[in-house]
Amino acid sequence: MSKVLLVHAKGGPPLGHVLSRTAARAQVHLLALSALPPSVADSASRLCASVVTPSDAQRGDLVSLIVSRAEAVGADAVLTFSEYAVVAVAEACEALGLAGAGGAAALARDKRLMRRTWREHGLPQPEFRPVATETELHAAAGSLPFPLLLKAAWSAGSTAHQIILSPHEVSAAWARSRAVMAESAQLGYAELHVAEANADFVVEQIVTGTASAWFDEPGWGDYVSVEGVVADGAFHPVCLSGRMPTVEPFTERAGITPALLSQDAQDRIVDLARRAVDALGLRDCGTHTEIKLGADGSMWLIETAARFGGAMTVPQIEEVFGLDLIGMLVDHLVGRPVQWPGQALTPAQARGAAGSLVVLAVDGRGEAWQDRRVWDFPAVSAAVPLSRGSALSVVAESSLADGSVVPVYEPAAGANTMAALCLLSAADPRTVLRDFETLVDALPRVLPAAQPEEASV
């Protein structure tokens, strides 16, 4: 039986989903760079041939750690689904002579290199400047039109994003973004391999998106993601995911599979995603490409990752299209033949729809809840009226325990202030969107109020 070294860190699809699909295709050896979620600990010991948690001293040279562990277990493939470990695993695969994202993996991780590469290929994207100091940010702000978006070059989950409306806001934005990156690192949401990655930033022009030119009904966000895979250097699009509008500054609230787009619109979006992925030169990995949609058919690349989409994107695809992307990638990496989709799958080929909602303490208009609430999924499940046939569940390993106070939403912290992740299955994408709108509006009403002593925390 083939052996796989799975490198676990925070982020990516739920570990429980990843483990079960990987273990169905190979013997799994788990290298845990982050603590295992309590809800997954028992299944990990059952599904894995070994589970190793390295000491802090062993993490000093992460690539060497991965290489030595892979050699010790005789791994036929090494993979990760975490943004924060992508580069280290790619470099380890190169050293081991195994299939992986390849030497260009950093281009799909460092937003400065990514944007520079796309500029060299003439691909549409916002105007940008790499910045490493407050002085450089002031200089960049003098050469780009306001408003601007400051983002960390190695971040994920919309953390450390700051909108800058005028030159007077530059210094405060710089200080806050640096502080958020330090806070994220303490929580384990930080690049694990590249030294001083928290000091690297990019500032870019905020382009004006519009969903109305692409979707036939209101409620959709003005960007989509193209889910895909690169196998032997060839890009294979799988499907498109739609979004609800982001919460200021640009925190994602919900992803919905599939995106309810016309065939022509989908074809044009996939073509841009293909050119974006091809420009980065990836070799063997999942891909997740986000694209901003504008008026008159205009589009701008937001980013591409050398891994599958996070949250519940992968389980949603499996539910809607019947594709086990985790298992398929494992098969490919160990040398088994895989039949990837010939072209991106469409809503017409879907069996219903599915979406994942990040629970944040903001209402449908993006305004903060008026008081503190306690997360209680049974209360939500019992009180929120969903469409006939819709089914709502909570992703335990990505959610606070029932009875926990919902964090105050902090715009610069992005998804770090989420309370829970919910999964909804419904008859079609339109129903998922409407049910999510109902859910977002109902949450501050149906969740129990926090006690004064809890709300002060």
Side-chain angles (χ1 to χ4, degrees), residues 116-439:
R116 188 177 303 154
T117 301
W118 285 340
R119 182 172 59 190
E120 291 169 353
H121 284 77
L123 298 177
Q125 61 180 334
E127 284 293 320
F128 73 99
R129 301 288 187 277
V131 293
T133 65
E134 182 181 342
T135 299
E136 289 183 359
L137 179 57
H138 277 283
S143 64
L144 294 172
F146 288 96
L148 301 173
L149 177 63
L150 176 65
K151 59 174 70 170
W154 298 83
S155 68
S158 302
T159 54
H161 281 26
Q162 290 276 279
I163 294 177
I164 304 174
L165 299 176
S166 73
H168 305 291
E169 298 179 357
V170 169
S171 294
W174 177 255
R176 184 59 186 140
S177 287
R178 290 294 302 269
V180 168
M181 288 303 292
E183 294 164 6
S184 295
Q186 291 297 316
L187 296 171
Y189 296 102
E191 170 60 32
L192 295 170
H193 175 50
V194 178
E196 305 300 326
N198 287 356
D200 300 328
F201 287 80
V202 63
V203 63
E204 59 189 42
Q205 176 188 6
I206 297 178
V207 294
T208 301
T210 177
S212 61
W214 297 81
F215 294 92
D216 292 333
E217 55 192 354
W220 293 95
D222 61 5
Y223 72 113
V224 297
S225 59
V226 180
E227 322 303 343
V229 67
V230 177
D232 298 321
F235 174 61
H236 301 273
V238 173
C239 67
L240 274 66
S241 296
R243 295 293 193 280
M244 291 181 76
T246 57
V247 179
E248 189 177 342
F250 289 102
T251 302
E252 296 190 13
R253 194 196 287 272
I256 300 172
T257 308
L260 197 56
L261 293 161
S262 69
Q263 185 66 59
D264 176 67
Q266 176 161 310
D267 289 344
R268 286 185 285 130
I269 292 168
V270 169
D271 176 68
L272 178 57
R274 182 185 301 280
R275 288 185 285 144
V277 173
D278 288 348
L280 298 177
L282 301 173
R283 197 172 64 219
D284 294 288
C285 60
T287 63
H288 173 77
T289 303
E290 297 180 356
I291 295 175
K292 185 90 163 180
L293 307 175
D296 301 320
S298 57
M299 295 179 282
W300 301 271
L301 292 167
I302 300 175
E303 62 186 45
T304 285
R307 42 86 183 164
F308 293 131
M312 294 297 285
T313 303
V314 170
Q316 288 165 207
I317 291 171
E318 182 171 332
E319 177 178 340
V320 172
F321 292 112
L323 294 179
D324 171 12
L325 291 184
I326 302 295
M328 294 168 74
L329 181 61
V330 169
D331 280 344
H332 174 72
L333 293 178
V334 300
R336 302 186 191 117
V338 176
Q339 187 65 43
W340 302 105
Q343 58 185 9
L345 301 172
T346 68
Q349 297 167 283
R351 301 177 302 192
S356 46
L357 177 80
V358 175
V359 176
L360 302 166
V362 289
D363 62 22
R365 299 181 302 278
E367 298 177 0
W369 294 351
Q370 295 183 354
D371 52 14
R372 301 295 298 278
R373 296 280 165 168
V374 172
W375 175 245
D376 185 340
F377 181 71
V380 173
S381 181
V384 178
L386 300 177
S387 301
R388 182 185 297 273
S390 294
L392 183 69
S393 59
V394 67
V395 184
E397 69 175 86
S398 303
S399 304
L400 298 177
D402 289 329
S404 303
V405 178
V406 175
V408 174
Y409 176 65
E410 166 55 50
N416 287 358
T417 54
M418 68 181 283
L421 182 65
C422 293
L423 176 67
L424 181 78
S425 301
D428 52 58
R430 183 180 293 103
T431 302
V432 174
L433 178 62
R434 298 301 168 228
D435 281 348
F436 275 165
E437 291 173 337
T438 298
L439 183 58

Side-chain angles (χ1 to χ4, degrees), residues 61-112:
D61 185 345
L62 188 53
V63 173
S64 294
L65 170 64
I66 296 170
V67 168
S68 63
R69 186 60 191 154
E71 291 176 336
V73 302
D76 300 295
V78 180
L79 71 163
T80 187
F81 297 96
S82 168
E83 182 83 348
Y84 306 114
V86 161
V87 175
V89 168
E91 292 185 11
C93 288
E94 290 286 279
L96 292 161
L98 299 176
L107 300 185
R109 181 76 179 96
D110 183 342
K111 295 175 178 63
R112 302 167 304 167

Side-chain angles (χ1 to χ4, degrees), residues 8-30:
H8 166 66
K10 288 195 173 184
L15 180 59
H17 182 90
V18 168
L19 276 180
S20 62
R21 273 60 179 179
T22 305
R25 309 296 180 106
Q27 183 185 93
V28 182
H29 295 268
L30 185 63

